[in-house]
Amino acid sequence: MFFLRKNVSCPLINDKLPLSTPIQDVSFVVFDTETTGFQVATEDRLIEIGAVQVKGFEVVEQKQFQTYVNPNRQISREITELTKISNERVAGAPKSLEAITSFMEYIEETKSVGLVGHYIGFDMLVLKSELKREKINLKKPVTVDTLDLIGYVAPSYDMRDLERYAMAFGTRIYERHSAIGDALTTAYLFAELLMLFYDRGNKTLGDLLKATDSQMRLML
């Protein structure tokens, strides 16, 4: 089982690829989470994980991951109205450790170099907080935030909403406030941003990580 140890890393292949690897030869896992609220380090809990692979400039829709998660607490009416995730829907879902284990196995299968998200810091905090409750420390993986990439490609934009960015860049929009829906929307936005980034003369994995301030030291 993935979490037999108390200090673990995401099963990415970042230490096996040189920074000179062309962007079009690199895979990423784009993911999103839904929770019972924003206080995920304390009382709020994970209720859904959604993810999809992006390989080069292509969203591999057939390579998706989705699971609901039983939060061991009531989901408020407001969150159910927002996400369409009810207490009944998560009643038979796996608990957080089992769900995150399945997600890590999916990451390993994709042979990806990093994780991508829209405001990914929140989603990483969700995973780390859930694992911390199990006394497991998740080491910080290589991540790319679409907000950072937008800041490089189009610094005049100053907003955070995923749907507005998708509209601005002409990419597909899937169901909002669904982890798999937002993951797919983010994936298509990321693929478009990657092409714009590439067209500006940035050709390698190293160029991408440098531009988005990812933890390049993890790659060196």
Side-chain angles (χ1 to χ4, degrees), residues 166-218:
M167 292 173 64
F169 286 94
T171 59
R172 301 184 189 184
I173 299 173
Y174 289 77
E175 183 180 3
R176 292 303 319 276
H177 306 296
S178 151
I180 188 59
D182 283 345
L184 284 162
T185 300
T186 303
Y188 278 101
L189 175 61
F190 177 62
E192 175 66 21
L193 293 170
L194 268 188
M195 286 190 281
L196 294 172
F197 183 76
Y198 185 87
D199 289 343
R200 292 191 178 189
N202 303 286
K203 307 297 184 182
T204 69
L205 173 62
D207 291 334
L208 176 63
L209 298 182
K210 182 179 180 181
T212 56
D213 288 328
S214 289
Q215 288 191 313
M216 290 189 68
R217 66 181 179 273
L218 294 178

Side-chain angles (χ1 to χ4, degrees), residues 49-171:
I49 306 171
V52 63
Q53 182 183 21
V54 171
K55 189 171 185 178
F57 307 117
E58 178 187 2
V59 179
V60 189
E61 282 209 32
Q62 63 271 28
K63 195 68 176 177
Q64 293 183 29
F65 173 89
Q66 189 276 340
T67 182
Y68 293 112
V69 183
N70 188 330
N72 284 319
R73 56 156 289 178
Q74 289 292 303
I75 300 173
S76 69
R77 182 180 64 184
E78 291 78 10
I79 292 298
T80 295
E81 290 175 351
L82 181 69
T83 66
K84 300 182 176 61
I85 301 174
S86 64
N87 291 297
E88 292 74 21
R89 179 166 288 185
V90 300
K95 303 292 177 60
S96 61
L97 183 59
E98 182 182 350
I100 296 173
T101 299
S102 297
F103 179 46
M104 293 297 169
E105 291 170 351
Y106 165 81
I107 293 171
E108 188 170 30
E109 290 170 6
T110 64
K111 295 181 170 55
S112 293
V113 73
L115 304 178
V116 177
H118 192 75
Y119 192 36
I120 195 171
F122 176 77
D123 299 296
M124 290 306 305
L125 179 61
V126 172
L127 298 184
K128 291 173 112 178
S129 297
E130 290 292 348
L131 293 176
K132 188 176 180 180
R133 294 183 180 101
E134 303 290 338
K135 301 185 178 353
I136 296 170
N137 176 51
L138 178 64
K139 297 178 183 177
K140 186 173 182 179
V142 172
T143 60
V144 175
D145 196 320
T146 49
L147 288 168
D148 292 331
L149 193 51
I150 290 167
Y152 183 91
V153 172
S156 61
Y157 283 96
D158 184 21
M159 53 186 175
R160 286 186 175 270
D161 185 68
L162 173 60
E163 185 173 352
R164 289 177 65 192
Y165 275 127
M167 292 173 64
F169 286 94
T171 59

